[in-house]
Amino acid sequence: MELATRSSAIQVILSEHRRLTSIVSGMLRVVDGMTSGSGPRSAMLMRAMLYYISEFPEQVHHPKEEQYLFARLRERSEQFDAVTGELARQHEDGRLRVHALERALRRYELAGADLLPALRDGVYGYADFYASHRHLEESVILPGAQRYLTVSDWVEIDEAFAANRDPFESLETEDNLNDLYRLIVQTMPEAQA
């Protein structure tokens, strides 16, 4: 993708999108594997993935997109008002979807395989939702930002996104989201070719 030439914030955003995409892909593989009775370990892995999403993309990434990138783009051009408004609504919808997935996972853990189809439907729905959301940001917002934002806009945005750090960085290693991300990726079942 040609976007990564103007700003270090764009590099950070694209990298964080790739991380979330890998987590969502892993969620699909895990929920599919649950049908074969992989049980508690898969449920724990799914819980870790949902925790990662709720703590990093939902608490750090999305608020910064809205506060810095979307706000500056709206200041520079009215052309993106509807899209940034829609993306902000999607950020809220994504948060609600993650909570719904957490509830569906708890119900599955408590009631068993009869509730697996609802969890699976929720995971697949979230994956479709996120893919569409990511596409809108990367195909409309990032190119628009490269076109309309000023050097001073980028200095502020780059600084804000450069500060994106794991919110648990100062805690013990076991609580570190980067470590959690690596653990999730290493533990995920392999994608079937």
Side-chain angles (χ1 to χ4, degrees):
M1 183 169 267
E2 199 61 38
L3 292 172
T5 58
R6 172 99 190 239
S7 161
S8 63
I10 290 177
Q11 291 284 345
V12 171
I13 290 166
L14 292 173
S15 174
E16 291 172 0
H17 284 182
R18 284 188 299 273
R19 283 182 117 181
L20 183 52
T21 298
S22 69
I23 294 294
V24 172
S25 295
M27 289 170 58
L28 293 169
R29 291 195 304 274
V30 168
V31 78
D32 285 343
M34 288 174 157
T35 58
S36 66
S38 51
R41 182 169 181 215
S42 291
M44 189 169 26
L45 183 56
M46 181 69 72
R47 186 165 306 291
M49 292 172 172
L50 291 170
Y51 177 74
Y52 179 86
I53 292 169
S54 69
E55 294 300 317
F56 192 73
E58 297 298 334
Q59 300 291 325
V60 178
H61 178 85
H62 294 155
K64 282 194 179 178
E65 283 179 331
E66 290 178 30
Q67 182 180 355
Y68 294 97
L69 185 63
F70 298 176
R72 293 303 170 273
L73 193 52
R74 281 192 305 274
E75 288 174 8
R76 300 294 174 226
S77 173
E78 293 176 0
Q79 174 183 349
F80 300 96
D81 289 357
V83 176
T84 57
E86 174 58 25
L87 288 169
R89 284 187 292 280
Q90 288 179 10
H91 286 165
E92 177 59 21
D93 187 30
R95 188 182 65 75
L96 296 174
R97 285 172 181 262
V98 169
H99 287 299
L101 285 172
E102 290 167 339
R103 285 190 303 276
L105 178 59
R106 279 192 300 275
R107 287 192 295 270
Y108 163 74
E109 289 172 315
L110 294 172
D114 288 348
L115 293 178
L116 183 57
L119 176 61
R120 187 176 187 280
D121 289 348
V123 169
Y124 271 80
Y126 182 82
D128 290 343
F129 162 81
Y130 176 68
S132 175
H133 176 80
R134 177 184 173 178
H135 177 74
L136 189 56
E137 285 184 350
E138 292 181 4
S139 67
V140 176
I141 295 301
L142 294 181
Q146 285 195 306
R147 181 173 179 201
Y148 289 101
L149 297 186
T150 67
V151 171
S152 64
D153 291 333
W154 282 116
V155 167
E156 181 182 7
I157 294 167
D158 286 348
E159 188 175 295
F161 277 90
N164 275 14
R165 296 288 182 262
D166 177 339
F168 298 105
E169 203 168 69
S170 62
L171 300 178
E172 295 297 319
T173 302
E174 66 189 19
D175 292 328
N176 188 293
L177 283 179
N178 284 325
D179 290 344
L180 177 61
Y181 175 78
R182 280 190 289 282
L183 175 66
I184 290 167
V185 170
Q186 291 168 356
T187 309
M188 279 191 285
E190 293 298 319
Q192 300 300 313

